[in-house]
Amino acid sequence: MKKQESINLIDRIASHRNLWNAYKKVKGNGGAPGIDGITVDGLKAHLIKYEEPLKRKLKDGSYQPQPVKRVAIPKANGSKRYLGIPCVLDRVVQQAILQVIQPIIDPHFSDKSFGFRKGRNQHQAIALAKKYYEEGYRTVVDCDLKSYFDTIHHQRLRAYLEEFITDKIVLKLIWKFLRSGILDKDILIETKEGTPQGGPLSPILANVYLNKLDRELEKRGHRFIRYADDFVIYVKSPRAGERVMTSVKNFIEDELGLTINEQKSKVCGATAATFLGFHLQNLSGKWDTDQSSPPRND
């Protein structure tokens, strides 16, 4: 579904008001500096000095993001999750893009998608899971995507974005962010796939990609819930669950180019499943928090 913009999106992105609203958001979020060492405290003076050249570069498509700084975050299981920290000015530009494209794209997302969306949260997702359970859908197909954010296919993502955005300069700018590279200590790593977690654009791009999965599950009539890259499908029997697991796995791997983590994916009873840090009690049908598996918001 093509969305025709009444004025160029890039003009709205590069407007004084939008850029400074983006600055306020980035300043409020804080965070570490990127590879250029500029901090959020030094951002205001930098933006005042370079606002006009920044606007020109955004509008003519010559703006070039810097590589993101890789930071390893330890996980509870001993492994690491990697964040990519963009420079603060790049974070402002990403936020400025997000503020304009989110109202255009988000209304087309599934109402079964709850992660990284305004007015939606994990408690609403859990309420829907409880509803499915009470309706008799008591088997869960729990599919785990292996290294999702690191394996998003860039060309597919661009094609999906073009269903919502027609401004060529905006598409080119987002592409530059995807391909800007990662600096790991002194080693520059090309980014030919994935969207590094840590920048303002990463969540909406992740949702754009998996919107294809949502629409396929809706077309098949499945009862499902998705929160970012965590999703579960509710069915009425283990046999149905195994069939759904096989067919959804094939769609994810063949059509989306993603990989299912076989060790973490399973078909099980709804009362044995933990989703977004919540566990459905066997008899009462109530949800209790299990803080051993808290929902991510990255």
Side-chain angles (χ1 to χ4, degrees):
M1 63 195 74
K2 292 285 186 182
K3 297 295 293 180
Q4 296 297 329
E5 297 88 24
S6 56
I7 62 171
N8 289 339
L9 287 188
I10 195 63
D11 291 334
R12 293 166 57 187
I13 289 168
S15 71
H16 174 82
R17 174 178 290 185
N18 190 56
L19 286 173
W20 281 96
N21 283 341
Y23 157 76
K24 291 175 185 176
K25 183 73 173 178
V26 170
K27 180 70 163 63
N29 287 340
I35 65 170
D36 63 0
I38 298 175
T39 65
V40 289
D41 291 329
L43 178 57
K44 183 175 183 179
H46 187 83
L47 188 55
I48 289 172
K49 183 176 181 180
Y50 294 106
E51 180 179 355
E52 291 309 314
L54 172 61
K55 288 179 180 178
R56 287 195 299 270
K57 288 180 179 180
L58 289 174
K59 290 181 179 182
D60 66 19
S62 64
Y63 183 84
Q64 182 59 54
Q66 298 190 64
V68 301
K69 181 168 69 175
R70 172 170 280 180
V71 176
I73 307 297
K75 296 171 71 173
N77 62 6
S79 64
K80 295 179 180 178
R81 179 164 57 89
Y82 291 99
L83 295 183
I85 302 178
C87 297
V88 288
L89 186 60
D90 285 341
R91 299 209 294 264
V92 169
V93 173
Q94 285 197 36
Q95 180 65 33
I97 295 170
L98 178 66
Q99 288 167 181
V100 171
I101 70 172
Q102 190 168 45
I104 294 170
I105 297 175
D106 190 85
H108 299 284
F109 286 155
S110 169
D111 61 3
K112 308 299 191 300
S113 167
F114 294 90
F116 307 130
R117 300 180 65 191
K118 287 184 178 180
R120 290 178 162 260
N121 56 52
Q122 63 265 32
H123 296 287
Q124 294 167 337
I126 295 306
L128 182 56
K130 185 172 183 289
K131 178 175 179 289
Y132 290 155
Y133 182 84
E134 291 170 346
E135 290 173 350
Y137 295 86
R138 300 190 173 184
T139 297
V140 171
V141 180
D142 184 356
C143 292
D144 186 86
L145 297 176
K146 188 175 182 179
S147 303
Y148 170 59
F149 284 86
D150 297 329
T151 57
I152 291 174
H153 191 279
H154 286 175
Q155 282 80 10
R156 283 189 176 101
L157 175 56
R158 174 155 182 155
Y160 300 161
L161 278 169
E162 287 175 350
E163 296 180 18
F164 308 107
I165 298 172
T166 61
D167 190 310
K168 301 296 185 186
I169 294 179
V170 175
L171 290 168
K172 179 182 177 182
L173 186 55
I174 293 172
W175 182 262
K176 284 183 176 183
F177 276 112
L178 290 171
R179 310 290 272 200
S180 62
I182 297 169
L183 194 65
D184 190 350
K185 298 183 174 65
D186 294 325
I187 300 171
L188 181 61
I189 303 167
E190 284 187 272
T191 44
K192 296 183 177 179
E193 62 179 6
T195 172
Q197 298 176 73
L201 275 176
S202 181
I204 194 169
L205 296 181
N207 270 338
V208 165
Y209 204 86
L210 286 182
N211 186 53
K212 287 294 181 181
L213 172 64
D214 296 344
R215 294 311 179 192
E216 180 65 20
L217 296 179
E218 287 175 345
K219 187 170 75 174
R220 297 182 184 188
H222 289 314
R223 287 157 177 81
F224 71 96
I225 307 163
R226 185 172 67 79
Y227 192 98
D229 57 332
D230 292 327
F231 72 97
V232 288
I233 304 166
Y234 280 73
V235 296
K236 285 197 169 179
S237 71
R239 178 179 290 183
E242 295 296 343
R243 287 198 307 268
V244 169
M245 174 69 84
T246 299
S247 107
V248 169
K249 176 179 179 291
N250 289 340
F251 176 83
I252 287 170
E253 297 188 343
D254 296 342
E255 300 299 324
L256 299 181
L258 301 172
T259 303
I260 292 289
N261 187 325
E262 301 281 359
Q263 283 69 43
K264 293 185 178 180
S265 300
K266 61 186 180 296
V267 176
C268 64
T271 56
T274 300
F275 182 53
L276 300 178
F278 290 80
H279 181 73
L280 183 62
Q281 292 180 347
N282 188 26
L283 297 177
S284 66
K286 295 179 180 178
W287 288 88
D288 273 354
T289 302
D290 173 5
Q291 292 302 329
S292 65
S293 176
R296 294 205 322 263
N297 190 25
D298 48 28

